[in-house]
Structure formats: structure tokens, C-alpha cells
Amino acid sequence: VATEEAATEEGGQLVMPTNAEFPPYEYREGDQIVGIDADIAAAIAEELGMELVIEDMQFDSIIAAVQSGKADIGVAGMTVTEDRLVTVNFSDPYTQAAQVIIVKTDSEIATPDALAGKTIGFQLGTTGDLYAEDIEDATIERYNKGFEAVQALTQGKVDAVIIDREPAKVFVEQNEGLKVVDEEFTVEDYAICIAKENTELLEKINTALATLQESGKLDEIKAKYINAE
């Protein structure tokens, strides 16, 4: 368990909750949690002289873990939103992402507007889910894991799934008969969440991110996963 002291000491542990169901940002390879976020967090921990500890949990529990001091940094393909800024601080963005629409290849849905009146699957607590209420007359189905929403789509239980662009590519590759709609649903910034009172750690994270950006390490990490198709 992280203490506030551990998060600021040299050589302490940096406890990072994530939801390892979101390839290529975080997913399991055997017993290991790997992905863009895991590698970026490891590079930050190295810059800070700390040991990274990754904990896997439900996506919608991550902010509470950081807020309560049980964890130090939430890194989980997490978008900066007004609602989330009420309870936690965010680092500078480390990547830009987009929410996209996955449909069956024979679907007539070709734009976000065409989602009106349809049944749509979301992963619980994700930004796609936050926008769900804005879709006119849509029926919303929420799932704990992204792949469960995609499974529901393949089984015809939902008409579309809204999820991050990179995981969407992976899911479409793994499941025959699915495609990503050309027009993006939203574009957004991903950042690292940190407890409001932990301003010292926030500054350290931003400094580490700037160093990793300048050295080309951030781009190298993203390219390793995103271009590996």
C-alpha cells in the first residue's frame, strides 16, 4: 500500500492502478501487465529512482484508489475530463486518443449521428460511457471489460461499441466480421491522474514526462505497440 511518504521519497514505490483489459495501453501477457501505459509508467519510475508496482482493478475504481492514497498514479488510458478534475489532478497529456465506433461489417452505421435510436455497448466508467447520454434515444449497455462489449456486438446483442481507437483496432483484428467506422466519435487527451494534495509528485511526473518526450522515449514506446500490427 502506498503512503504519501513513499510517493515522494527517493527509492520508494510508485503504486499504479490500471485496468489491464485495454490493449495496447494495458493488457496481460502471462502474469505480466504490459502495454504503452505500463512502459511509460516504468520509464517515469526509473526517472524518479522509484520502483513501479502495477495493480489491476476495475476501471471505475482507479480514481478512488488514487484519491484515498492507496495508490500514487492512475495510468489507464484515462482522459482528462471536467468531472474527473473535480476529484484528482492530471499530469500533462502523454498521448492523444480518439473514441471510435465498432460495428459489424454489414452495418449501415457510418457516422456518429447514425447511432441515434440504436443499442450501444460501452466499457463501464470510460469516456465513451460519459458521452453515452448525449446520443439521442439510444439504449446503453455497460460492460466491465472492453472485450465483453465487443463480444456482445459479435453476438448481435448491441448495434455498435464505442471504445478507444487503439484497442478498437486490436478487437477488430481478433474478431472477424467487425470494422471501425471512419468518422471518429471524439478526440481526447490521455494523462496520468494524481491525488489533489500530492502536488510534489505531480511536478515530478510532469518533469519526467517532458524528459521522456524530449529524448524520444515516449514516441518509441507508443511505436513499439501501435505499429506492431
Side-chain angles (χ1 to χ4, degrees), residues 6 9-13 48-51:
E9 279 172 20
E10 277 299 305
Q13 285 189 337
L48 302 183
M50 299 174 82
E51 179 203 349

Side-chain angles (χ1 to χ4, degrees), residues 10 40-50 204-205 207-212 215 217:
E10 277 299 305
I40 288 174
I44 289 170
E46 199 176 319
E47 285 286 323
L48 302 183
M50 299 174 82
K204 286 183 175 183
I205 299 281
T207 304
L209 278 173
T211 305
L212 295 168
S215 69
K217 180 74 178 168

Side-chain angles (χ1 to χ4, degrees), residues 33-143:
I33 294 174
V34 298
I36 293 171
D37 286 346
D39 282 12
I40 288 174
I44 289 170
E46 199 176 319
E47 285 286 323
L48 302 183
M50 299 174 82
E51 179 203 349
L52 180 69
V53 178
I54 301 180
E55 294 181 349
D56 193 12
M57 60 178 67
Q58 296 290 1
F59 184 82
D60 55 2
S61 304
I62 295 169
I63 284 180
V66 170
Q67 219 184 343
S68 66
K70 287 181 182 160
D72 301 310
I73 58 169
V75 197
M78 195 175 281
T79 307
V80 182
T81 66
E82 292 302 320
D83 284 356
R84 289 173 181 164
L85 282 166
V86 173
T87 48
V88 286
N89 282 333
F90 278 96
S91 69
D92 296 329
Y94 60 85
T95 197
Q96 196 178 61
Q99 295 286 321
V100 298
I101 304 161
I102 308 178
V103 293
K104 287 191 171 179
T105 41
D106 58 0
S107 172
E108 289 168 11
I109 297 169
T111 65
D113 291 344
L115 294 169
K118 299 286 193 287
T119 302
I120 308 161
F122 291 92
Q123 184 182 353
L124 198 65
T126 58
T127 44
D129 191 1
L130 298 178
Y131 302 121
E133 307 306 328
D134 300 338
I135 303 166
E136 208 179 324
D137 298 331
T139 303
I140 307 305
E141 297 291 343
R142 293 179 169 89
Y143 300 89

